[in-house]
Amino acid sequence: MKTTRRSFIQKTALLSGVFSLGFDWFDSKANSGIIEQMNPVLDANRFNAFLSIENTGKVILYSPNPEIGQGIKTAFPIVVAEELDVDWKQVEVRQANLDTQLFERQLTGGSGALKHSWERLRKAGATARQMLLQAAAQQWGVDASSCKTSKGFVIGPNKGQKLAYGALVDAASKLAVPTEVTYKSRADYQLIGSFVKGVDNYKVLTGKPQYGLDTQKSGMVVAQIVRPPAFGSTLVSFDAAEVKKMPGIIDVVSFKNKVAVVGKSTWEVMQARKKLVCSYSDTSNLESDSTHQKWFDEGMKTDKAKVERKDGDFHAAIAKAAKVIEATYECPFLSHTPMEPMNFFADVKPGSVLLAGPTQVPQSAQKAVATLLGVPENTVQVELTKMGGGFGRRLNNDYALEAAELSSIIKMPVKVMWTREDDMTGGIYRPAVRYHFKAGLNEKGEMIAFYLRGVGLNAGNSTRQDNFPVGAIDNVLIESFNYNSAITTGPWRAPITNFLASAEQSFLDEVAVAAGKDPIQMRLDWLQKVKTTPVGKITYEPDRFIEVIKQVAEKAKWGKKGANVHQGFSVYFSHLSYVAQVAEAKIVDGEAKVTHVTAVTDCGEVINRSGAENQVIGGIIDGYGHAMFSKLSFDKGVPQQKNFDTYKLIRGNEIPTVEAHFVNNGIAPTGLGEPALPPTGGAVANALFAANKKRLYRQPFAGPDNANL
């Protein structure tokens, strides 16, 4: 392409807008990078923690839970606006900072935000609406029950009686807060269940949001931290003499087995860090992949496994079985790999601590920093920035604690910034796990015995012992065994179930084949048994299971797609939601390829259909990509994948089409950020088996070591 120097500069500037601070592609104005404060605008009346209304009629709604792309910043205000009965065009949504007095459960994790706040949000909007109605009724001298609201107006019983909310806020804010309010009926919903664009979509497209990496504060310095190269290594010494002479470098300090390079700019710090010389001592038991395989082998044989559930007599039943099916499944460690690497700002002063950055758990960060520094919690302020992904990684406070401790040492406000390599090699990871299943069938092909043992590395209980098909089988034994590893692990999207579901649903497909039964009908038969004669404790609702299964079979045209469309089924319950999936595979150029996934989700009331579809589609793509391609391996404690050149994520041309449907039952919302991911691996593995008759027992499926264990 031919280009002039001038046009090259212009195009380069346009492209760099993706990364620069607040660069606007359309008007070329850069934001200052200052984090938006929560305080209501001048002359706004604060009706409750969730909303303020200006005299102009503008409504300001606050989203207290951190936004990590799950759409909570849009979904929370939709509920408030629905009950407030306000035109969405009048609404401005803001991210609230940490405030333990105004909000409860101000965190993002476990897909529980909407479930927890559904009633609170409805009450917030309905209360303000009732107060506005009362204020208008008093002004007109009529009974409030004769008035109604519509899109930000109160309408009286007499002709011409119509007042905008903005004209009523002063009077309404002086009224006593009602103790009882009436909610809208579902039939009157205008916003809930509709397609609403994410409130930050345009800002994200035009580079305006201030992520943690964009944080700018007066007097702030920048730091990067060198951590041990291997899990289990200990810092012995470091030589920073040359580093301290480099341009822009302010100091080099060590703390807690780490060395921090502090400077005036990110680039100067990155260049100096390359010159830093550190020496480490290694323990004799640094872990490699071979270490973990040895532990898995031992864990499968040990008699010290913990019994998580025991129904009937599994050993007696399996001894009498006409047919026995066994299979073992394994998954590797995985990195969270959010697009925005870890970072945090801290300014520790006598009597006060200011924190700012991307965290899923601001209150936990506040407590952890207060404990670290030995200061009262109420002296630690936490400002929330937009997050470039989390997937559970930002449930950990390690990077916030680094910033706070470093600021307390250097006596300066500092922003600690991780690189992609830091993010991928410094933990925290999804635990590696191995599962062994065994099932016994009688002469009729009915399952009479079910066994599961999970062996995990820093996984705790790697099973979900009360999940389906438990409750339908007379003789069940579920055990777990955990190894303590030096490799740090933590929650990864849909903890434990992200692979357990894949393994279990793959195994149940094998059981169906061995029994000569349709895998969908087999599950429906089991669920009918749960309804009539459940075995032991169950934590799920069989009718909701049945409904998603029946709907996905209908939507996907199960068994009716033709000879070259091979289908695989999976269904799972997690985070109080039910997701059934049918994956389709075709033989393309001699290889089986997944081309389409149909999903039906029961997550209760769908707040924002646009956001809900994105969550389901995104969860399926995430589950498919990691099941197919991703793996983190170790050699003597050192992670072998350090960036995206060796740690593969799914590419755009590898994504199947995804079709998302929802059960419309009107019950209170349950989880949605995670439940679509767990069943995906099983649906995919079962579809690929249907296509090429090869079972997949080890993730990643596209890796070289997916042979039978």
Side-chain angles (χ1 to χ4, degrees):
M1 181 183 69
K2 294 183 179 180
T3 181
T4 64
R5 180 179 181 276
R6 178 176 176 81
S7 66
F8 176 79
I9 293 173
Q10 290 171 337
K11 291 169 185 174
T12 302
L14 184 69
L15 183 62
S16 68
V18 178
F19 307 102
S20 63
L21 301 185
F23 190 96
D24 191 320
W25 287 349
F26 300 100
D27 63 16
S28 298
K29 293 179 181 178
N31 293 336
S32 63
I34 301 300
I35 299 170
E36 181 181 276
Q37 297 298 311
M38 177 183 162
N39 300 327
V41 296
L42 192 62
D43 298 325
N45 282 282
R46 193 69 174 271
F47 281 85
N48 51 54
F50 297 98
L51 70 100
S52 298
I53 305 175
E54 292 184 13
N55 293 327
T56 61
K58 182 179 180 180
V59 180
I60 304 166
L61 302 182
Y62 295 98
S63 182
N65 289 56
E67 172 66 68
I68 53 172
Q70 83 282 36
I72 204 74
K73 190 177 175 183
T74 305
F76 267 41
I78 283 176
V79 181
V80 179
E82 183 70 80
E83 293 293 348
L84 182 60
D85 200 4
V86 65
D87 190 335
W88 187 252
K89 295 177 182 177
Q90 294 176 260
V91 170
E92 177 185 331
V93 180
R94 295 185 180 180
Q95 175 71 62
N97 287 326
L98 176 65
D99 193 322
T100 56
Q101 301 301 312
L102 293 177
F103 304 109
E104 299 176 359
R105 197 190 180 275
Q106 203 173 352
L107 61 89
T108 293
S111 298
L114 269 171
K115 176 183 178 298
H116 174 269
S117 297
W118 167 244
E119 286 296 324
R120 293 167 177 80
L121 295 167
R122 297 180 76 189
K123 188 173 183 179
T127 300
R129 175 178 171 271
Q130 189 163 317
M131 294 170 72
L132 291 162
L133 272 170
Q134 186 65 40
Q138 288 182 359
Q139 184 170 327
W140 293 325
V142 300
D143 192 278
S145 63
S146 67
C147 303
K148 63 181 181 179
T149 60
S150 178
K151 295 186 176 181
F153 290 89
V154 179
I155 301 169
N158 302 317
K159 186 177 181 179
Q161 288 182 329
K162 183 177 181 180
L163 288 171
Y165 285 177
L168 295 165
V169 291
D170 287 335
S173 64
K174 296 171 185 176
L175 296 174
V177 177
T179 56
E180 294 185 7
V181 294
T182 302
Y183 296 148
K184 273 188 177 182
S185 67
R186 291 188 77 220
D188 295 328
Y189 284 167
Q190 299 294 314
L191 284 171
I192 292 177
S194 67
F195 288 83
V196 179
K197 295 179 181 178
V199 295
D200 286 336
N201 284 5
Y202 179 79
K203 292 179 180 178
V204 170
L205 271 173
T206 54
K208 289 181 179 179
Q210 299 302 300
Y211 292 84
L213 285 173
D214 299 325
T215 300
Q216 299 293 318
K217 297 287 188 180
S218 177
M220 183 188 83
V221 296
V222 176
Q224 289 194 341
I225 296 177
V226 177
R227 301 166 189 83
F231 289 91
S233 294
T234 302
L235 177 69
V236 175
S237 63
F238 66 96
D239 184 355
E242 295 301 317
V243 174
K244 290 182 178 181
K245 298 176 184 177
M246 296 182 69
I249 299 306
I250 296 170
D251 203 354
V252 181
V253 299
S254 65
F255 63 98
K256 286 188 173 63
N257 214 30
K258 307 170 185 178
V259 182
V261 180
V262 184
K264 297 178 180 178
S265 73
T266 305
W267 180 252
E268 289 170 323
V269 168
M270 290 179 72
Q271 299 311 300
R273 176 182 177 175
K274 296 176 183 177
K275 301 292 184 181
L276 186 66
V277 178
C278 299
S279 62
Y280 300 89
S281 64
D282 295 334
T283 61
S284 59
N285 56 348
L286 295 180
E287 300 168 25
S288 299
D289 285 357
S290 57
T291 311
H292 302 148
Q293 290 299 312
K294 178 175 177 290
W295 287 354
F296 282 147
D297 292 341
E298 293 172 349
M300 284 297 166
K301 298 174 184 177
T302 183
D303 59 0
K304 296 180 180 179
K306 180 182 177 182
V307 175
E308 303 290 352
R309 179 164 181 147
K310 186 177 185 296
D311 295 330
D313 190 336
F314 167 79
H315 294 293
I318 201 74
K320 298 177 182 178
K323 184 179 291 187
V324 175
I325 304 97
E326 291 187 76
T328 302
Y329 302 81
E330 187 178 312
C331 71
F333 290 97
L334 289 181
S335 174
H336 294 79
T337 60
M339 283 296 96
E340 179 192 21
M342 300 303 105
N343 64 89
F344 224 73
F345 168 86
D347 186 5
V348 179
K349 296 178 180 178
S352 71
V353 178
L354 174 61
L355 303 176
T359 173
Q360 295 177 236
V361 283
Q363 187 172 1
S364 175
Q366 180 191 55
K367 290 182 179 181
V369 168
T371 300
L372 172 73
L373 301 177
V375 300
E377 284 182 26
N378 61 7
T379 65
V380 181
Q381 178 186 354
V382 183
E383 294 178 353
L384 295 178
T385 65
K386 191 168 181 61
M387 279 183 271
F391 312 106
R393 176 61 181 89
R394 289 185 160 101
L395 290 170
N396 198 286
N397 294 311
D398 55 319
Y399 58 102
L401 289 168
E402 284 181 343
E405 185 165 7
L406 181 57
S407 177
S408 70
I409 294 171
I410 64 176
K411 311 299 181 186
M412 301 176 75
V414 61
K415 177 169 64 175
V416 172
M417 303 175 69
W418 292 41
T419 64
R420 172 61 56 205
E421 289 77 9
D422 291 334
D423 225 29
M424 199 165 286
T425 61
I428 309 295
Y429 307 119
R430 181 189 78 171
V433 182
R434 183 186 287 183
Y435 293 111
H436 182 72
F437 293 87
K438 182 184 290 188
L441 305 179
N442 63 16
E443 293 80 359
K444 298 178 182 179
E446 298 167 337
M447 193 195 297
I448 58 172
F450 179 77
Y451 173 80
L452 165 63
R453 175 175 287 197
V455 178
L457 309 181
N458 289 344
N461 175 13
S462 55
T463 73
R464 291 293 181 265
Q465 64 272 12
D466 297 327
N467 274 10
F468 180 75
V470 167
I473 314 302
D474 292 332
N475 303 285
V476 170
L477 179 59
I478 297 179
E479 303 172 326
S480 72
F481 190 77
N482 184 68
Y483 277 95
N484 295 320
S485 167
I487 297 168
T488 50
T489 63
W492 190 96
R493 193 175 187 177
I496 300 299
T497 61
N498 55 61
F499 180 65
L500 172 59
S502 175
E504 175 199 273
Q505 294 299 302
S506 296
F507 179 67
L508 293 184
D509 201 66
E510 287 202 56
V511 171
V513 171
K517 296 185 176 183
D518 177 88
I520 286 183
Q521 189 58 50
M522 181 181 72
R523 288 169 174 83
L524 291 174
D525 292 343
W526 288 345
L527 288 163
Q528 286 298 327
K529 181 180 177 182
V530 174
K531 290 181 64 175
T532 57
T533 54
V535 180
K537 176 184 177 182
I538 60 170
T539 58
Y540 54 86
E541 298 176 55
D543 283 331
R544 295 178 70 185
F545 251 127
I546 290 169
E547 186 62 26
V548 294
I549 292 172
K550 287 184 174 180
Q551 285 201 26
V552 83
E554 178 187 351
K555 303 289 186 185
K557 294 181 174 58
W558 175 256
K560 302 175 183 177
K561 282 293 189 81
N564 192 37
V565 178
H566 308 275
Q567 295 179 310
F569 172 75
S570 178
V571 63
Y572 207 72
F573 165 70
S574 67
H575 303 282
L576 302 179
S577 292
Y578 303 76
V579 183
Q581 296 179 15
V582 172
E584 297 177 4
K586 295 181 179 180
I587 302 297
V588 179
D589 297 328
E591 293 186 0
K593 180 180 180 181
V594 175
T595 57
H596 187 78
V597 179
T598 303
V600 173
T601 301
D602 178 357
C603 59
E605 190 77 74
V606 173
I607 305 303
N608 179 9
R609 184 60 182 260
S610 175
E613 287 188 0
N614 284 335
Q615 282 303 295
V616 171
I617 294 170
I620 290 172
I621 293 171
D622 196 9
Y624 174 64
H626 281 91
M628 289 295 295
F629 305 117
S630 302
K631 178 181 180 180
L632 192 66
S633 56
F634 293 85
D635 183 23
K636 296 181 179 178
V638 179
Q640 297 303 289
Q641 294 76 27
K642 296 177 171 56
N643 210 316
F644 294 134
D645 56 338
T646 51
Y647 185 90
K648 184 178 177 182
L649 296 177
I650 190 170
R651 268 60 168 174
N653 64 342
E654 296 164 331
I655 296 174
T657 57
V658 181
E659 186 181 334
H661 303 275
F662 297 89
V663 175
N664 183 20
N665 54 21
I667 67 174
T670 50
L672 188 55
E674 294 163 283
L677 188 148
T680 303
V684 167
N686 295 337
L688 292 173
F689 169 77
N692 61 20
K693 304 307 176 187
K694 295 179 181 178
R695 289 290 181 187
L696 298 168
Y697 296 103
R698 181 177 289 171
Q699 290 187 0
F701 296 154
D705 55 355
N706 61 358
N708 294 10
L709 294 176

